[in-house]
Amino acid sequence: MVKKKACVFISGSGTNLKSIIKSSRDYNFPINIELVISNKKSAKGLNYAKKYSIPYRILACDRRKFEQGVLQLIFLKKIEIICLAGFMKILSKNFVRKFRGKILNIHPSLLPKFKGLNTFNRVLETNEKFSGCTVHFVNAKLDSGKIILQKKVKISKKDTPNKLAKKILIQEHKIYPRAIMKIISL
Ligand code: GRF
């Protein structure tokens, strides 16, 4: 079986990266992570790249240089799929267009509701009964690409933004690998 070559972009704790790495160790999982890219030197998620011996690069620079660097690496490593996992930089329209249908993102809400930042505060302020997470294709508009998979999470009265974030993160770790399997068949 030939797995597709993937690259994961991170900015922070990288727990979604970890869940994708773990899934990718399975013989039947359709991608292999060939590269991890962080736009932050301090991203804790880089430790998972180290732990699992995955090559990584830190590109802590402006968007133009970041994307130039990424393009070179992607070309060199023949990357076919890009997974954004807690990646906090907005990619340019040009970059996104180059990889149409090949960039995935995970967002901690039931899109199209609550695009953007501070999701958990906004969800709680509006007294929603449910929230959740969404894996979607990335297009030129923020958090607006075609939805691949979603998971609903019930909101309890006791939920704080932190508690809700933790509950949703557990589901993120499950749906990201499933979404990858859903869109890539070997
Ligand atoms: C996740 O909630 C993800 O949905 C959001 O940022 C958080 C990152 O978590 N985009 P991690 O870096 O994967 O631990």
Side-chain angles (χ1 to χ4, degrees):
M1 161 187 321
V2 183
K3 295 187 177 207
K4 285 219 181 337
K5 296 179 194 297
C7 172
V8 181
F9 289 10
I10 61 166
S11 303
S13 52
T15 61
N16 278 292
L17 166 66
K18 182 185 172 198
S19 98
I20 302 171
I21 294 174
K22 288 199 155 180
S23 299
S24 73
R25 300 278 140 140
D26 190 311
Y27 178 79
N28 291 311
F29 198 69
I31 65 167
N32 192 41
I33 304 171
E34 308 276 329
L35 180 65
V36 172
I37 294 179
S38 172
N39 67 322
K40 292 262 188 285
K41 212 175 161 187
S42 58
K44 283 197 187 134
L46 288 167
N47 290 325
Y48 294 120
K50 291 175 196 164
K51 180 172 173 194
Y52 292 96
S53 307
I54 297 171
Y56 64 91
R57 294 283 187 286
I58 299 161
L59 294 173
C61 44
D62 64 35
R63 187 163 77 182
R64 200 179 54 84
K65 284 193 183 144
F66 176 87
E67 291 183 353
Q68 265 176 8
V70 166
L71 284 174
Q72 279 178 5
L73 289 163
I74 280 179
F75 180 73
L76 263 174
K77 299 216 168 236
K78 301 188 167 57
I79 299 294
E80 297 157 284
I81 297 285
I82 297 173
C83 298
L84 310 185
F87 180 65
M88 301 307 283
K89 205 178 181 84
I90 295 178
L91 297 166
S92 72
K93 289 191 172 68
N94 263 343
F95 186 92
V96 171
R97 282 197 195 112
K98 271 199 185 94
F99 296 98
R100 203 188 164 88
K102 294 187 165 35
I103 311 178
L104 277 61
N105 183 39
I106 185 144
H107 183 77
S109 79
L110 292 174
L111 290 174
K113 286 183 161 183
F114 304 102
K115 297 173 182 175
L117 296 174
N118 286 326
T119 328
F120 311 111
N121 288 300
R122 289 188 286 134
V123 164
L124 293 176
E125 275 163 16
T126 42
N127 294 319
E128 296 285 313
K129 293 206 165 47
F130 292 93
S131 189
C133 45
T134 304
V135 181
H136 63 96
F137 285 108
V138 173
N139 67 8
K141 283 192 187 163
L142 183 69
D143 299 331
S144 299
K146 188 172 178 243
I147 291 171
I148 302 166
L149 214 56
Q150 291 188 303
K151 176 74 188 177
K152 247 187 187 180
V153 168
K154 200 172 184 322
I155 296 176
S156 101
K157 290 213 169 84
K158 290 181 192 157
D159 276 341
T160 59
N162 253 342
K163 279 187 186 166
L164 182 59
K166 280 186 187 152
K167 270 188 346 197
I168 291 178
L169 193 58
I170 292 170
Q171 299 306 323
E172 290 184 33
H173 299 158
K174 293 180 186 166
I175 67 161
Y176 213 156
R178 282 187 206 143
I180 292 168
M181 291 193 78
K182 190 175 166 190
I183 60 144
I184 305 171
S185 47
L186 291 174

